[in-house]
Amino acid sequence: MMKQRRVSIYKYTQLLWSVLLVLVIWNLPQYALADVNPQEINAILRTQDITLQALNTRDFAKIQPYLHPNFTITTVDNQTFNKVSEFEKYWNQQFSSSIKDIKMQLKGESLRTFLTPEIDVASGEAIASFSFKDGKAADMALRWTAVLQKLQDKWTIQSLHFSSNLLNNPVLNAAQQLGRILAVAAGVGGFLLGVVTMLLLPRRTKQQTEKI
C-alpha cells in the first residue's frame, strides 16, 4: 500500500513538473515578444530583404554587414559555410553548368519566436525559381530557419539553414535528363563509329589483298 502511494506521488510530481514546463515554454515567447517594438520587427525585415537581394543579385557585399561574426549558412545540399567568400564561391559555381539564374522569394508569413528581446528564431517557406541555359525553367519549394541576433543596434544573421524535397529537385532532374541525353548521344556516336568502321574495313582489306 505504501509502495503504491509512493508511486502515485511520483507520477503526480512528474505530471506537475511537465505542466509547469509546458507553461513556461508556452509563455516565454509571449513575454519576449511583448518587449519587442514594431521598429525592431521592421529592422529584422530589412535584414531579411537585404539577404534576398544579395542572393538574387549575387552582390554579397550587401549582406556582409548583416552577418553575425560567427555566422553559419547551411545549404540544401548539406554544405556549411562560415565565410562570405567561401559561400560566394559556392553560389557562383551553381551557374557554371546548366543553371543560368536563380531567384528566391519568400512564401507566406514567417513564424517568429523571440527567445529574448535580442534573439529571434524565424522560419518559413520560400520558392527558388531556376532558369536553365537551354531555356527551360522550374521552381523548387524550400523551407528555411534563421536565428537572428541584435548586435550594435543591427539585427544580424547568426544561423541560416535551407532544406528541400530531394525527390522533387529541378536541378537534379535537369542533371538526370542531361545524363540521359549524353548517354543517348554516346550510344548514337558509338553506333555511327561502328558503321563507319564496318564500311572502311572491307576496303582496307581489299586494298591490302590487291597489293599482295
Side-chain angles (χ1 to χ4, degrees):
M1 183 73 178
M2 198 61 145
K3 185 178 180 180
Q4 291 179 350
R5 186 176 180 182
R6 288 179 181 175
V7 172
S8 298
I9 293 174
Y10 176 74
K11 289 183 178 179
Y12 286 132
T13 304
Q14 278 191 321
L15 179 61
L16 178 60
W17 279 112
S18 299
V19 172
L20 290 175
L21 182 61
V22 170
L23 290 175
V24 169
I25 294 175
W26 181 266
N27 287 294
L28 178 61
Q30 296 179 1
Y31 293 144
L33 185 59
D35 296 331
V36 178
N37 58 46
Q39 284 128 0
E40 299 292 350
I41 299 295
N42 290 334
I44 291 172
L45 294 178
R46 174 174 171 75
T47 298
Q48 176 179 290
D49 292 340
I50 289 174
T51 302
L52 283 175
Q53 289 177 16
L55 290 173
N56 290 336
T57 62
R58 294 186 236 172
D59 185 0
F60 293 94
K62 292 181 179 178
I63 198 177
Q64 180 81 52
Y66 294 89
L67 291 174
H68 190 277
N70 299 316
F71 77 92
T72 298
I73 297 178
T74 305
T75 58
V76 293
D77 53 352
N78 203 32
Q79 295 196 51
T80 303
F81 299 92
N82 306 105
K83 295 180 180 179
V84 175
S85 58
E86 293 178 355
F87 179 75
E88 183 176 7
K89 181 180 178 181
Y90 159 84
W91 190 255
N92 289 329
Q93 284 176 346
Q94 308 306 308
F95 307 94
S96 62
S97 56
S98 61
I99 301 174
K100 180 181 179 181
D101 195 16
I102 304 174
K103 297 296 183 185
M104 294 185 62
Q105 59 180 341
L106 300 186
K107 177 183 176 183
E109 294 291 331
S110 302
L111 299 177
R112 203 172 298 284
T113 300
F114 287 90
L115 300 181
T116 72
E118 296 182 347
I119 298 179
D120 172 33
V121 179
S123 62
E125 299 180 4
I127 296 293
S129 299
F130 290 82
S131 299
F132 297 98
K133 294 178 181 179
D134 61 1
K136 296 181 180 179
D139 291 337
M140 180 170 66
L142 299 172
R143 290 188 180 276
W144 60 271
T145 302
V147 178
L148 295 95
Q149 183 175 357
K150 189 177 181 182
L151 291 177
Q152 299 177 351
D153 297 327
K154 184 179 294 183
W155 282 93
T156 62
I157 298 175
Q158 198 281 328
S159 177
L160 181 60
H161 182 274
F162 291 99
S163 64
S164 67
N165 184 355
L166 295 178
L167 300 179
N168 185 21
N169 188 323
V171 181
L172 181 61
N173 294 339
Q176 290 176 341
Q177 183 177 5
L178 178 61
R180 287 193 292 268
I181 293 174
L182 292 177
V184 172
V188 172
F191 173 75
L192 293 176
L193 179 61
V195 171
V196 171
T197 301
M198 292 298 293
L199 291 174
L200 293 178
L201 186 59
R203 292 185 179 180
R204 291 181 179 177
T205 302
K206 184 177 181 181
Q207 290 175 356
Q208 290 176 358
T209 304
E210 291 176 352
K211 289 179 180 180
I212 295 173

